[in-house]
Amino acid sequence: MEPGETIVEALQREVREEAGLHCEPVTLLSTEERGPSWIRFVFLARPTGGILKTLKEADAESLQAGWYPRISLPTPLRAHDILHLIELATQYRQQARHPLILPHELPCSLVCQRLVATFSSVQTVWVLVAMVGMPHLPVTACGFTPMEQRGGIRVAVLRLLQECLTLHGLIVETKGLLGLQHLGRDHADGICFNVLVTVAFQNPGSRDEPPKVRGENYFWWKVTEGDLHSQLLRRLQESSVVPVNR
């Protein structure tokens, strides 16, 4: 990405420069991260115009572009990490695991995460809510320490949950993204990920209520509104999220 670009603008520019095609993104497929200083977005997109780049148009961006059957790609490949991504796109076209998700163009000054932290029991779902100011979903900034720079954005999730929960005896799992926001303009080049997180007891036994919250800054909100409840259950049961990989 270049300074001042939105994520979609960067996607369209790169495809135009390297392949000669205009395109429109269909959905975010996957996010890869190695801490807040290295993040890569993988999109499914469709061509809308342009002409495939030929060898006569070779430049510093690419030599040329072409269409290939996915089972017969040209060799040698510069990198083999694209093979998994091609299969991911193929699977999504055959059966979408999550709704269409594109970045919301909203400003954010930091790389941070907005947590939809859930606890579920049978058909009941609770969501962790922060109480500082107006009630809201908890937000945690990423990369405050060298350990967080190396350990990935999941470390920031654990840091926030440690503020209000005793994590010993709990299983915390980052399921994936429900959405994200980024603008890139006006000195607001941060990203906010909306992350679905599950909290569960290692040995649940007969416990059907969420773990006790320490202090007064957070509480567990029991989801009773029908449509929201069913959407959360479906997302949890089907892992209907954009995966985050390291």
Side-chain angles (χ1 to χ4, degrees):
M1 294 179 62
E2 295 180 354
E5 284 185 319
T6 67
I7 296 172
V8 169
E9 287 170 347
L11 155 73
Q12 293 171 324
R13 174 183 53 76
E14 287 289 347
V15 173
R16 185 172 62 252
E17 289 174 352
E18 297 195 12
L21 298 179
H22 306 295
C23 73
E24 286 294 330
V26 175
T27 186
L28 183 65
L29 277 180
S30 172
T31 300
E32 302 169 6
E33 59 93 12
R34 298 173 191 166
S37 60
W38 191 98
I39 301 170
R40 180 163 67 177
F41 302 101
V42 181
F43 283 89
L44 178 65
R46 61 181 180 85
T48 57
I51 300 173
L52 273 176
K53 190 173 185 178
T54 67
L55 194 56
K56 290 181 179 180
E57 299 165 304
D59 56 21
E61 298 293 339
S62 68
L63 297 179
Q64 62 181 324
W67 293 105
Y68 295 88
R70 67 184 178 89
I71 59 173
S72 181
L73 296 175
T75 55
L77 293 173
R78 184 176 66 181
H80 287 264
D81 58 351
I82 67 166
L83 298 177
H84 165 70
L85 304 178
I86 292 171
E87 290 306 310
L88 189 65
T90 302
Q91 293 167 11
Y92 190 92
R93 288 186 57 132
Q94 293 171 347
Q95 183 175 2
R97 289 193 60 183
H98 58 76
L100 301 178
I101 294 175
L102 293 174
H104 290 280
E105 294 185 4
L106 296 170
C108 185
S109 58
L110 300 169
V111 177
C112 61
Q113 298 174 83
R114 183 183 292 113
L115 304 190
V116 182
T118 64
F119 176 89
S120 58
S121 173
V122 192
Q123 293 295 308
T124 307
V125 180
W126 286 264
V127 172
L128 189 66
V129 174
M131 286 295 292
V132 178
M134 294 291 291
H136 60 277
L137 293 173
V139 177
T140 179
C142 303
F144 277 161
T145 66
M147 184 182 74
E148 289 191 10
Q149 288 285 346
R150 297 190 304 270
I153 61 177
R154 182 178 182 273
V155 178
V157 172
L158 296 176
R159 171 167 49 79
L160 183 143
L161 293 179
Q162 283 174 336
E163 294 178 13
C164 59
L165 301 175
T166 301
L167 296 186
H168 179 72
L170 298 179
I171 300 171
V172 176
E173 184 179 359
T174 298
K175 305 294 285 187
L177 301 186
L178 296 168
L180 71 154
Q181 69 182 62
H182 171 268
L183 186 63
R185 301 188 182 95
D186 303 323
H187 308 288
D189 197 28
I191 299 171
C192 184
F193 298 105
N194 297 323
V195 184
L196 182 62
V197 175
T198 58
V199 178
F201 291 105
Q202 289 181 355
N203 300 301
S206 59
R207 289 177 286 191
D208 55 5
E209 300 236 340
K212 183 176 176 59
V213 172
R214 297 197 309 265
E216 300 179 351
N217 292 336
Y218 298 91
F219 76 99
W220 287 106
W221 173 59
K222 187 174 182 178
V223 181
T224 56
E225 197 277 317
D227 186 51
L228 177 60
H229 178 268
S230 61
Q231 285 190 51
L232 274 174
L233 269 182
R234 180 177 59 82
R235 293 294 192 104
L236 290 166
Q237 293 168 354
E238 300 176 7
S239 294
S240 179
V241 290
V242 174
V244 180
N245 301 309
R246 282 185 58 76

